[in-house]
Amino acid sequence: MSSLTEIPITGYLDRFSHRPGETFVAHVSVREPGSYRTRILRVISADPNPQGPGMRFEDLSHRLDQSHEGRRQEVRLGSHGIIKSGPARDPRAACTWTLLVQPGVLDPSAAVLAEEAGDHAIILSIGPSGAEASIAWPGGSLELATTVPLKPKAWYRLWLAIDPASGRVVLGQQPLNKGEPVKVNGHAAGVSLPSSGTVLFAAERALAPQRHFTGKLEDPAILRGCVEAFANPLAEVERLGGEVLAAWDFSQGIDSSSVIDVGPGKYHGRLVNQPMRAVVGAKWSGREVCWRNAPRDYAAIHFHDDDLDDCQWQPDFTWTVPQDMPSGAYAFHLTCRDGEDWLPFYVLPKRQGPFAPIAFLAPTFTYQAYANDRRGGADAAYQERVRQWGAYPHNPDQHPEYGGSTYNLHRDGSGIAFTSRRRPILTMRPGFLSINDERGSGLRHYPADSHILAWLEARGFPFDIVTDEDLDDEGVALLTPYRAVLTGSHPEYHTLGTLDALQAYTENDGRLAYLGGNGFYWRIARDKKTPHLFELRRAEGGTRLWAAEPGEYFHALDGQLGGLWRRNRRPPQMLVGIGFVGQGAFEGTHFRRLPASRDPAHAWIFEGVEEDVFGDYGLSGGGAAGYELDRTDPALGTPHDVVILARSEDEPSSVELVPEELIVRRGTLEGDPPRKVPPQAPEFGAEMVYFDKPNGGAVFSVGSITFCGSLWRNGFEGPVSHILENVVRRFSAASG
């Protein structure tokens, strides 16, 4: 049944970018069945602030303007495992279902192991009353519960044993650390058991999975015989008692979605909605912290009732990019009787060109990391600003059905480690406000980066657009045609492939302008077989809203250590000269020029700028230096010839040193003489830097996430705009 709280129309695309000749596939859902219209817009500016450039689109209806018949498509949250056909056996033969369980939450009741075939169903669950069992067969049913509550985050062996010959049923739970087993007996006269049924882990009802479990499961098995007790509940399955009919070893295929049966029947299956693998199990010894070295220590899977890999909506329309379509930022504008939505996308240039001198590298990995971030700030004041400005009206706070971001938590307090682009992403929409910014627009990520695109257009710079995903797929060859590459305001998330490509680009006469803050910070894992998805382990260090559990720092997808690139010996200072050092509220201050900015070797950067102080204005927090600030650090790889052109000052009182800095500089804690509070200058400040690279390459970095919000001052005028124009004009000019 539809609800007025649902978004009237929304959707997602097969990917964020395509080239001319390639085809976008759109997946659309409407709240009420009926027709809807789709047309193409070029996105020029996505800032709804009336004091800024405003929302600006170019109508390209001549490229596409169609009507379609809409339908409502469901989002099915919750991860689980499924074996389409389990053991074939005599329905009158005794059988035991068992597994290891670590509950994350206990309410409401959730299924951990189920087997279903026709009118037969065996469901083993956990809930507020402890272990629960539900048995159904033609002509009868039985419900049991131990009535002894389980403890969250504690490991148990659960089992359900049934002997159809006698009708005896035993439901049991046994803690693995201390405590006696708890058993409850039941009687099921005339019971018969499923044969060749569908087996599910962490859910029930194969046709429409429900009652999803949140927590860890390990070593589910089906045994022949009525095993009523376990002398060693941690024993390997072949030593538990009874003949093994099926035994699924989650330590096999950790880097995949496969579920492997090590029993005689090889009843293999798959995982749905990407639960978390490479997690410590009940048998974790602590001797190894990487799952590749001790897979059986990692024989658990962490399921969640809100996991989402792919909405798997049916496609609604396709559109092939015309051969003459210029590279740029576009959107499908969807309208129906009750509302509208935008599905943003990028068009790359043809593989053979022609190419513009400049490429904007859209930080789509970062957009995806923050996708549907539930910040908890969509209060009445926020909603009123949205209404007054005509901003994007839908906020993830009100729409958890589309899954959360890697900045949100599952119900058991664990962090969301996977993020998918095959779902509606409300935060990646023109006009979306992340923050109710008293001094500016409150934009982040996709709409904030339109400040750069609108500025490029206003200044008459021809440019192409490429994305992080394209760069990871194609490597440095994607960037080689360009004289200059510009980043977005917050290129935070990267793979080894994207970092290597950017490094190679700058070392081979490429000019890189890093136009943000807190960039090149977190390492992510991506499997090219599932390109819509990536994984994040927030391992040791870093500013983070959740931390990976000890022993769970290595990605499942690639087996590599997660966490900060700094911890992987690739700090951002090595690439762009500066790295994340301070974070505060969404508010900004100004920069002050340093003597190097007037040196003849670098004065060209400030041509037309007479002010010593600049950037004390802007659409992002009211200042060019704010929110997240970067600075140099030779100990972390800042090149020796970096020139510091300007530095922020008078940082807001909300700014704090990032935690990883506290273990790098002893002086920030003790100083000379000792002091208890880390100094605010210069350790906290943003630094604007420039350095040349061998072979004609160069890097310009601005050191602040709010910098590009200050490109606008009564139009795209003012010192910040002049500085960037000087850099981009020099970087994009023909060499020699």
Side-chain angles (χ1 to χ4, degrees):
M1 182 178 296
S2 66
S3 167
L4 290 178
T5 62
E6 292 182 30
I7 294 176
I9 184 169
T10 191
Y12 60 94
L13 302 175
D14 63 308
R15 55 177 292 138
F16 290 142
S17 63
H18 275 302
R19 284 186 165 87
E22 298 174 349
T23 299
F24 283 99
V25 180
H27 307 259
V28 177
S29 177
V30 295
R31 184 172 65 200
E32 300 292 343
S35 65
Y36 68 90
R37 178 190 180 194
T38 181
R39 60 192 178 106
I40 289 181
L41 306 173
R42 186 168 70 92
V43 181
I44 300 171
S45 171
D47 186 346
N49 187 346
Q51 301 302 313
M55 297 269 278
R56 293 177 55 208
F57 305 102
E58 179 185 359
D59 186 353
L60 298 179
S61 296
H62 65 282
R63 298 281 192 181
L64 177 70
D65 187 349
Q66 295 178 351
S67 292
H68 305 274
E69 195 62 26
R71 56 188 161 177
R72 184 171 180 267
Q73 305 206 60
E74 297 281 350
V75 180
R76 299 191 183 276
L77 296 175
S79 56
H80 58 280
I82 185 167
I83 313 298
K84 288 190 174 180
S85 182
R89 59 195 186 275
D90 181 353
R92 300 293 298 172
C95 199
T96 302
W97 294 259
T98 185
L99 78 169
L100 298 172
V101 179
Q102 186 191 65
V105 293
L106 297 170
D107 190 20
S109 175
V112 295
L113 177 58
E115 186 174 7
E116 305 164 356
D119 295 333
H120 295 82
I122 304 294
I123 303 168
L124 186 56
S125 306
I126 60 102
S129 299
E132 303 171 351
S134 176
I135 308 166
W137 66 95
S141 65
L142 178 67
E143 305 281 340
L144 289 176
T146 62
T147 69
V148 176
L150 305 173
K151 295 179 180 179
K153 309 299 176 66
W155 279 102
Y156 296 82
R157 177 166 291 283
L158 270 56
W159 67 93
L160 174 64
I162 305 175
D163 181 5
S166 64
R168 180 169 173 77
V169 178
V170 179
L171 171 66
Q173 65 189 50
Q174 184 169 355
L176 299 188
N177 48 9
K178 294 181 180 179
E180 296 299 316
V182 177
K183 296 193 294 183
V184 60
N185 298 320
H187 184 72
V191 66
S192 58
L193 305 181
S195 177
S196 302
T198 300
V199 178
L200 292 104
F201 315 119
E204 63 166 303
R205 305 298 173 93
L207 294 179
Q210 56 188 268
R211 295 182 64 231
H212 291 277
F213 167 75
T214 294
K216 291 181 178 179
L217 302 180
E218 183 171 345
D219 285 354
I222 303 176
L223 309 175
R224 191 186 305 277
C226 190
V227 184
E228 299 188 16
F230 297 89
N232 179 7
L234 260 179
E236 296 296 328
V237 64
E238 63 272 12
R239 296 188 178 94
L240 288 175
E243 177 189 347
V244 174
L245 292 176
W248 293 277
D249 181 359
F250 292 165
S251 72
Q252 298 195 24
I254 285 177
D255 60 350
S256 74
S257 291
S258 298
V259 176
I260 305 301
D261 174 21
V262 296
K266 306 301 181 188
Y267 301 107
H268 306 315
R270 64 183 178 89
L271 298 172
V272 178
N273 269 341
Q274 200 67 40
M276 192 173 178
R277 306 189 80 163
V279 295
V280 298
K283 303 171 187 178
W284 186 57
S285 66
R287 288 191 292 269
E288 291 286 350
V289 294
C290 176
W291 61 266
R292 290 182 284 104
N293 299 330
R296 282 296 294 164
D297 282 18
Y298 292 84
I301 296 178
H302 200 159
F303 295 91
H304 306 92
D305 60 7
D306 60 350
D307 282 332
L308 179 61
D309 170 12
D310 184 341
C311 281
Q312 296 189 341
W313 288 355
Q314 293 299 308
D316 279 77
F317 67 88
T318 61
W319 181 70
T320 300
V321 183
Q323 292 292 337
D324 63 344
M325 193 79 169
S327 179
Y330 299 90
F332 294 109
H333 184 213
L334 310 177
T335 54
C336 67
R337 182 188 64 187
D338 298 323
E340 62 183 341
D341 203 356
W342 291 262
L343 308 184
F345 64 90
Y346 300 104
V347 171
L348 276 62
K350 296 178 182 178
R351 290 189 184 277
Q352 69 274 21
F355 302 101
I358 300 164
F360 173 71
L361 177 59
T364 50
F365 285 158
T366 299
Y367 300 165
Q368 190 169 328
Y370 285 87
N372 295 337
D373 184 17
R374 299 191 288 265
R375 299 177 58 90
D379 56 14
Y382 171 94
Q383 297 292 349
E384 179 59 20
R385 170 164 285 192
V386 166
R387 187 191 65 78
Q388 289 180 358
W389 286 3
Y392 187 73
H394 309 300
N395 189 286
D397 286 3
Q398 283 81 44
H399 294 283
E401 65 268 25
Y402 302 121
S405 78
T406 62
Y407 286 77
N408 299 131
L409 304 177
H410 298 291
R411 282 204 308 132
D412 62 355
S414 61
I416 295 178
F418 289 93
T419 177
S420 170
R421 56 171 168 73
R422 288 190 177 173
R423 55 176 172 149
I425 299 178
L426 308 185
T427 49
M428 192 177 168
R429 295 293 193 259
F432 178 81
L433 305 184
S434 289
I435 297 164
N436 195 359
D437 179 3
E438 293 183 2
R439 300 175 61 194
S441 304
L443 306 184
R444 298 195 66 196
H445 313 302
Y446 173 81
D449 286 345
S450 76
H451 290 149
I452 302 171
L453 303 184
W455 176 86
L456 284 166
E457 180 140 334
R459 283 287 167 264
F461 286 110
F463 64 95
D464 292 340
I465 297 183
V466 296
T467 77
D468 285 346
E469 187 170 336
D470 299 307
L471 186 59
D472 193 44
D473 288 344
E474 301 180 26
V476 68
L478 182 73
L479 305 180
T480 301
Y482 299 103
R483 300 171 192 162
V485 172
L486 313 184
T487 76
S489 59
H490 191 32
E492 183 177 7
Y493 291 84
H494 281 271
T495 65
L496 180 62
T498 57
L499 284 193
D500 283 351
L502 287 164
Q503 192 76 36
Y505 173 73
T506 61
E507 290 173 356
N508 290 278
D509 80 6
R511 294 106 177 234
L512 176 65
Y514 167 37
L515 302 183
N518 186 18
F520 316 102
Y521 192 63
W522 290 106
R523 180 173 190 159
I524 60 173
R526 182 167 173 257
D527 186 339
K528 301 299 176 65
K529 297 189 295 293
T530 54
H532 62 285
L533 187 78
F534 71 72
E535 179 185 11
L536 169 70
R537 299 287 173 115
R538 296 193 186 276
E540 288 184 21
T543 301
R544 54 213 170 135
L545 293 177
W546 58 269
E549 291 293 322
E552 298 181 0
Y553 293 169
F554 285 77
H555 294 121
L557 292 184
D558 64 3
Q560 300 301 304
L561 177 65
L564 299 184
W565 274 113
R566 174 175 179 157
R567 295 282 190 253
N568 283 264
R569 304 185 73 86
R570 291 291 293 271
Q573 288 87 347
M574 292 177 62
L575 175 65
V576 293
I578 57 176
F580 191 28
V581 69
Q583 181 175 30
F586 200 74
E587 52 186 344
T589 185
H590 57 269
F591 282 90
R592 182 177 292 276
R593 293 176 62 174
L594 298 179
S597 71
R598 300 187 186 278
D599 186 300
H602 310 108
W604 59 270
I605 297 173
F606 287 83
E607 184 178 348
V609 177
E610 298 300 325
E611 299 94 328
D612 281 331
V613 171
F614 64 92
D616 52 346
Y617 56 86
L619 297 173
S620 295
Y627 196 45
E628 294 176 350
L629 310 174
D630 293 8
R631 60 166 281 127
T632 57
D633 190 340
L636 292 174
T638 297
H640 71 279
D641 57 348
V642 158
V643 176
I644 304 175
L645 303 167
R647 183 177 289 132
S648 67
E649 60 182 16
D650 299 337
E651 287 81 12
S653 60
S654 63
V655 177
E656 297 180 352
L657 200 67
V658 295
E660 61 268 25
E661 285 292 293
L662 295 176
I663 61 172
V664 171
R665 295 190 191 84
R666 187 180 180 91
T668 60
L669 286 177
E670 298 181 359
D672 186 17
R675 48 183 177 254
K676 294 183 179 180
V677 180
Q680 283 205 348
E683 283 83 357
F684 283 3
E687 291 180 333
M688 178 184 292
V689 305
Y690 174 87
F691 59 100
D692 290 308
K693 300 276 287 186
N695 303 316
V699 176
F700 171 76
S701 300
V702 303
S704 165
I705 207 170
T706 64
F707 181 85
C708 290
S710 298
L711 292 171
W712 179 271
R713 189 180 73 172
N714 299 320
F716 288 115
E717 301 292 343
V720 171
S721 178
H722 290 313
I723 290 167
L724 188 57
E725 183 171 359
N726 293 335
V727 170
V728 173
R729 200 166 297 284
R730 174 72 69 95
F731 275 18
S732 62
S735 301

